Amino acid sequence: MANLDWVCVPRSYEVRKNHLAGQATLEHPLKQQSVTVVDSNPLSRALEGTDPLSQFARQDEELNDPLSPQKDLKSKRRERDRTEPEDNTLQWSSRRLGILNRFTTNEKLSLSTSFLVASGSLDGGSESIKAHTVVADKTKYRLEQLDHFDDGSMRHMMDLTQQEYIQRFEQLKQELIQSWHNDQRVKALKIAIQCAKMLADTTVLQFYPSQYVLITDILDVFGKLVYDRLRSKASGDPGAVSAATLEREREAARDTCQNWFYKIASIRELLPRLYLEMSIFKCYEFLSSSREEYEKVLHRLTHQLRGIADPLVSSYARCYLVRMGVTLTPSKTYIRENFKDLFIIYPQIFRFVARFNLHPEIVTASSYLQLYAPAFDYMFLCLVHRCELHTQDMLAECKQLKNNGAILMSILSSFKSEFIATNALEFIELINASETPGISKSQLLRSLGSCVSSCAPLQEQRMTFLKTAFETINKLTDPNEYINCVETWAVFVSQYFTVHEVNRLLGELNARMCLGKAYEKHYSQLQNILSRIMQNYRSIELLLIQPNFLPYLDLFQKESVRVEVCKNILSYYKQNSEEYTSDAVVTNALMYLGKILNDSVNALTVEDERRQISQLINVFIHKVYFGRDLEQQLSFYVEARGTFSNLDAVYVTLVHAACKLATRNRSKSTGFVKACIAYCFITIPSIGAVQQQMDLYLLCGQLALQHLCLGQADACFEAALNLVNELPAATIDFEGKPRSLERFLVSYLCNMLATLIVVPDSPDQGVLYFLRLLLEVVGRHEFKTDSTAPSTIYLHCLDMLYVQSLEKFPYHIRGVVSNDDLYGHDPKFLAEVNNMCGQVVDALLLQLKSLGVAQQQRSQAELALELFLKIVRYADLEKESVAQLAVNLWLLANKAQSQLDVKTLPQTLRSVEVLYKQVKDASPKQAQAIASLLLRMRNS
């Protein structure tokens, strides 16, 4: 169509915007409204049970009903409050899992019992023994049980692993429960006895606390079964209403309870007898409700425990006694008496320690003393729970003990932090004087540090206490002990002292850990110390400017650890810093940290790691703010560009920050804006993603245009257009799938065309240079064969060219002399515009032809209608070639009518009719040409 005589017609009608009338509203119009349906019929509400008066009436009836199970709620609640601790502090269940995880072994274990047999024989045995209800038969049956489960049937299981050992005890527990429910009470009792006997076995010492937990679990189950059985007997038959009947049943329950205690008292061996009595200690409430009676029993059991020779077995037996006692009485006297006995046998523990020092292959002294910790800790906790009467006495007795380290450790672990804080100086003196084999001063100092971190000493004592403590810590010669102590005390120092003490701590650490390169073995502790300081200190900025902070980072010589530490610091800065900073020292410290992260990025770094590092650096770039000193702000961006050369996301942030900085320029001079645009123009090519480069060039060009920097705007637009052919065909999305960039390119170039409308032509480049460059770039770009992207771009080019032909553009930028004022509707300029319109139409016709070859009838018809409407609106239809082209396009669209929407062609025809009505008064000639076209369209 080289002979197309295209002439743009002037717009002879006004574009009107039909504004909708607004009205005030209290809620957002798109908010989802919830409708509440209220039933006004009281009868239906009553039937549904939703009437509150009916509900209250039913509740009163239930509470007043003598046969209702609710009548025992108060008594049950009273029983529960008496039988369980009121809070979770003394709950053993919260400690058992920690003990099982802490005390493990790789040694082989042994187990002796007569109740773990093969599964087949177990089933057979349960079938051969049936439950009997006749009293005489029951007595005969239990005698048979005693004969069946005599000691001659004991089986010894050797070489069990820890897991197998635990499984066997679980089987014993299930066997005990099954025997009880099968009315085999004697068998259940013998299982409990045999389990209690195993508590005397200390062959594998390091596993004894876990062994104690497993066995006492079984004893607890046994005690609960006995207690529940007696309680069900004492409560009587729910149907019985006679007081005499209820009293007889309670008397029978008391007799059964006494019978159980008589059975247990007949056990020959001391240890199982004591453990079995303690396991059913709760049943004493069926014999007496007096606390004095409970305390007498507890004191008797305390005296009997003196017969256990092994101090480890004795300590855990006392722990079990205390655990059972706290469920029935709040008295502390029996616990205090247990501690008196414990302090008497305490020196005997260190005879074992001395023996293990000679044979460390069995167990070390330190490991042996740690075996006592769970028992001591729980006993101390029960002693001081809601009672401060015995704390000073226990501390005084601890001072009198020789080798008091184990007791002191338990006191620090169990006593309240407030008491320890009040007596902090006394505790530090005790630790300094302690010389306990197996308990080092570093262990005691760590426990003390944990306590004072949660509750600090008095204000006037803190500095003295800190100096005294660190005098002892600094005397520790082992780097491992030293660093572990400081790791605990770092919380206390950072939380309750000034930044000078924190800085001094970092300096001492730096000097100490550099000796012999000790830091190489303690990276995790050094990292934890820094994290705790940052978590607990008030100002991260004050930490960054301390003289010893950045040198502390030099301890992390391993690159991966160093990078992780820098990431953690910037993360804390991101979360806890002030909104902005202008301090040069803080900025330099952040730049130093960011440079470490930037230098760690290489070709092998994964994308997620790049993204995390970039986000951290971007946060502190946004926080650096120098107020009105714009030059210093730009200088910071220049320095950041040189520092973070490996991170494209940071470069993108810097370009946006520089553009934002340019908009803050309040002076009329454009020199600073040009400097910002030049900074961006230099920075953008260093970004790897072409898509991001194009976006930033367009942004900078628009910013330059707004600030009347026409030369910089031209350079940015030209650079953006030259990148189009470097744009890849597709990119990879987050799911790893390729995503075409054609949609981005169309949107981008349309945005570019909208901007180019107001860009004046450069005298050095000629008329509509950027549009010519855009058409050239689009012509060279490789699109898909069936792509509609080039057609869309060409249609928008026609829009842009038509606007160029108008006497006044629809929008302007203040101060920019656009082409409408520059050329003043000059005929030569209009001829150039018309010539370019013809070229664009030729390109569109080629697109129509290629779509036809590709058998894309629908896309071809839609493009034909789009071009048809452009011609009708923009071109002079008095030119025969133009009118004939419009008719041909209409006919082409009609051929594919079946491919189009039913409403498409009628709506297109209606659009032409509306256009005719708009121009018939202002431009009769144009209206006549449109009418002629309409006639030819209808005739075709």
Side-chain angles (χ1 to χ4, degrees), residues 358-370:
L358 296 176
H359 302 283
E361 68 278 359
I362 302 174
V363 64
T364 62
S366 176
S367 300
Y368 178 71
L369 289 178
Q370 288 177 10

Side-chain angles (χ1 to χ4, degrees), residues 110-147:
S110 61
L111 182 65
S112 299
T113 179
S114 57
F115 300 102
L116 286 182
V117 293
S119 58
S121 58
L122 269 176
D123 296 339
S126 61
E127 291 176 1
S128 62
I129 302 174
K130 299 180 180 179
H132 298 268
T133 56
V134 182
V135 177
D137 291 342
K138 186 180 293 185
T139 305
K140 180 180 178 182
Y141 160 66
R142 287 181 175 168
L143 289 172
E144 290 175 353
Q145 275 189 294
L146 289 172
D147 294 335

